[in-house]
Amino acid sequence: MNQKAILYLALLAFGIAVPFMFPAYKLQISIMWILVVLSLTWDVQGGQMGYNTFGNIMFFGLGMYICSSFQIGIFFPLAEWTASGGEKTFIHTPTQFFQGFFIGIIFAGIIPALVAAIIGYGILGLRGHYFAICTLGLAIAAGELAGGIELVGAGQGMTSPPWPKNIGDTELRSEFFYYICFVLMISTFLFLRWAYTTRFGLVLNAIRDNEDKAEAMGINTMRYKISGWVVSAFFVGIAGGLMGNMIGYIEPVETAFAGRTFGVFMVVMAILGGKGTLWGPVIGAIAFHIFKEGFWTFFLGWQYVALGALIVIVVIFFPEGIMGWLREKYPDRFGEVIDEEDRKAQVELK
Amino acid sequence: MGAILQVDQVYKYFGGVKANENISMTVTQGSITGLIGPNGSGKTTLFNSIVGTHPIDKGSIKFEDKEVSALPVPAVAKLGLLRTFQQTRIYGKLNCIDNMRISAKPSRDNLFSVFSAIPNELNDKAEHLLSFVGLYQKRKLRAGDLSFGQQKLLELAMALMNEPKMLLLDEPTAGINPTLINGIINRLIKVNEEFGITLLVIEHNMRVIMSLAQHIFCLAHGQLIANGKPEQIKKDQRVIDAYLGVQ
């Protein structure tokens, strides 16, 4: 067995064992896996494709609303639920809860993916700063829009269905969500790990390095850009759906379309770990989460100062992130070597 | 041999600037054709018009008897009409092998082939072509770390990887050291003879273009002022005037 397989198995074992090893930190580590998903999927655009987006948070909020709306709407009248704080009047049976959750999560992935395809078709023709600003506007608009829709509670927000009372305590609830988050993180990681080995990955990198050249070589870049955004939106949407259930309460600007928190975090995490690498966003998300929780716990009140300082330090001293810094330092470990041994069929230089 | 590319009375204005005016030229299948002219005479504009970077104002451009003047860049490239750039364009953060692998024409190209695997056979072909341009030893380095001349060679290899029918080369020897220029001339001739690729070459180095091309077109001030065999062009008074100025 090689080193890589051992590493993967060790991480897998750690992930599975967390609820038993650190029962007090289950929720924190669930959120960490969500952050890894956000960071990995942001990197599809920001790192691999070179399109800095501030709009991925849009799919997070969308997934959150859609998941809960489906969970509630297929069993009870949604409008009454949101108007009355419906969890008091309508109670999901365990079967209803899990059925609803399953259906909700599926749509929380599919609908944002469709939205990404449609919006992407419209705006992925923009490049560079124009794309970034456009996505930023869309994300803010999405929050404002959601805050205007009565059906989902408008500015007051809505509650997601509470865990059914008659099947175990809150411990079981957090274990359940922990493992769903873990599975989502693993699926996202494995999917992207595979996708980056296919034509998709190479074309994304080609677009990042020189989009005009890619087009001149006959590549339909739009198709790949949209596919990339659809993939991101799918996983981010599911992450949003899960997050809504874990928090239990959806507020349009603070939790769902949370551009100031998660929307910024996903960018910082990917840059901290190393844009455009597979492991960079994972390492970045974990490091960031530990840093963030440390500050939130011990230096409450200064946490945003610390966060700002972290961003400045990363941008000035590690613009390529942890992985990028390692690659600069040890290029040969990353396969960048001059091959002294010549090919036998070397064509004579005349 | 018939014509592979027919440019017929093409006009391209940028506002008041007449970049191309009434340009007509024919490139014979399997030939090496030269395109010369002083700086700013409209050579690169003509290239851009041919591959579809910008629409033309008037005229027609036919590639293998198919009108291409209204097609977008990737569609023209898929027909087998490829160009290289004056300032090299390579994928700087990818290594040379990946630059090559992504340049190959995929066997299927539709929505469902976005996540298709890249066949292993391509590695062999990529390595072969990289050794053809003398970059085999550097194949695992990032393309952005190569020197300018090496990047030009890489760009040529990438174009060959795509197996085009015709290649438009924008100053293939600019910025390359004189000893390597002969190597490039030999390779271009080889590309033309062995791979059967028609070449249309913009070049400022007269020694290069005279020894390479069978037929030369000369532009000045956006207009075609002369065309003919290299020996004729060398002696043509209009060409000499355009380059050196009329006394």
Side-chain angles (χ1 to χ4, degrees), chain A residues 160-340:
Chain A
S160 51
W163 183 256
K165 286 202 176 58
N166 40 357
I167 55 153
D169 50 7
T170 50
E171 283 302 302
L172 186 67
R173 174 182 187 269
S174 46
E175 268 167 33
F176 173 76
F177 285 123
Y178 173 83
Y179 283 113
I180 304 265
C181 287
F182 186 61
V183 167
L184 174 68
M185 189 276 291
I186 296 281
S187 322
T188 312
F189 180 84
L190 290 181
F191 179 83
L192 290 177
R193 181 171 174 264
W194 165 78
Y196 290 154
T197 65
T198 67
R199 210 176 142 69
F200 173 78
L202 270 185
V203 172
L204 252 48
N205 290 161
I207 291 172
R208 172 194 65 198
D209 287 353
N210 200 325
E211 189 167 352
D212 288 328
K213 174 69 176 176
E215 282 184 358
M217 295 301 289
I219 298 171
N220 184 343
T221 53
M222 196 61 167
R223 183 182 289 158
Y224 290 87
K225 288 192 278 186
I226 294 178
S227 305
W229 223 21
V230 165
V231 167
S232 290
F234 179 78
F235 288 113
V236 172
I238 292 179
L242 272 173
M243 194 72 187
N245 269 280
M246 275 166 22
I247 304 176
Y249 180 71
I250 302 172
E251 209 273 349
V253 188
E254 293 297 326
T255 51
F257 300 98
R260 278 190 307 169
T261 51
F262 287 107
V264 176
F265 294 166
M266 58 173 92
V267 183
V268 177
M269 292 183 297
I271 294 177
L272 173 66
K275 286 204 291 183
T277 57
L278 179 66
W279 277 100
V282 181
I283 295 168
I286 293 172
F288 175 82
H289 190 60
I290 293 170
F291 173 89
K292 178 170 77 75
E293 286 310 313
F295 265 87
W296 257 244
T297 313
F298 299 112
F299 301 98
L300 194 68
W302 288 88
Q303 72 270 39
Y304 279 102
V305 177
L307 183 61
L310 178 72
I311 293 174
V312 171
I313 289 167
V314 167
V315 169
I316 293 179
F317 295 105
F318 304 96
E320 298 293 316
I322 296 167
M323 290 297 278
W325 176 76
L326 284 173
R327 186 174 179 141
E328 294 281 308
K329 199 134 199 223
Y330 310 102
D332 47 320
R333 298 271 178 89
F334 289 83
E336 287 181 47
V337 285
I338 297 178
D339 201 344
E340 294 299 343

Side-chain angles (χ1 to χ4, degrees), chain B residues 1-11 22-29 31 33 46 49-51 56 58-70 76 81 166 168 198 200 217 224:
Chain B
M1 283 281 207
I4 187 166
L5 181 75
Q6 289 165 290
V7 176
D8 197 21
Q9 296 178 345
V10 163
Y11 288 76
N22 196 15
I23 307 279
S24 297
M25 57 188 280
T26 307
V27 177
T28 316
Q29 172 115 42
S31 69
T33 304
L46 186 62
S49 299
I50 292 171
V51 300
I56 54 175
K58 228 194 307 182
S60 107
I61 297 167
K62 285 201 173 95
F63 178 67
E64 294 192 312
D65 293 324
K66 186 180 183 327
E67 183 68 37
V68 295
S69 56
V76 175
L81 177 57
M166 178 172 177
L168 310 184
T198 310
L200 177 59
F217 292 87
L224 192 65

Side-chain angles (χ1 to χ4, degrees), chain B residues 149-197:
Chain B
Q150 289 170 330
Q151 291 185 5
K152 283 227 134 157
L153 290 166
L154 175 63
E155 203 181 9
L156 174 65
M158 285 160 72
L160 296 178
M161 192 76 184
N162 200 272
E163 299 182 344
K165 291 172 188 150
M166 178 172 177
L167 203 48
L168 310 184
L169 300 161
D170 203 341
E171 300 198 28
T173 66
I176 291 187
N177 78 60
T179 50
L180 200 57
I181 287 183
N182 284 340
I184 293 199
I185 296 178
N186 287 332
R187 289 201 174 81
L188 289 179
I189 292 173
K190 232 177 184 164
V191 163
N192 178 250
E193 285 173 354
E194 288 179 15
F195 302 145
I197 299 172

Side-chain angles (χ1 to χ4, degrees), chain B residues 113-162:
Chain B
S113 63
V114 166
F115 293 104
S116 59
I118 295 170
N120 285 331
E121 303 90 80
L122 284 186
N123 283 348
D124 230 35
K125 192 177 160 197
E127 287 182 1
H128 181 76
L129 282 171
L130 281 175
S131 66
F132 174 71
V133 296
L135 287 176
Y136 179 75
Q137 288 171 310
K138 311 223 162 158
R139 69 189 185 283
K140 289 176 187 165
L141 295 186
R142 286 185 176 193
D145 294 343
L146 299 178
S147 74
F148 181 73
Q150 289 170 330
Q151 291 185 5
K152 283 227 134 157
L153 290 166
L154 175 63
E155 203 181 9
L156 174 65
M158 285 160 72
L160 296 178
M161 192 76 184
N162 200 272

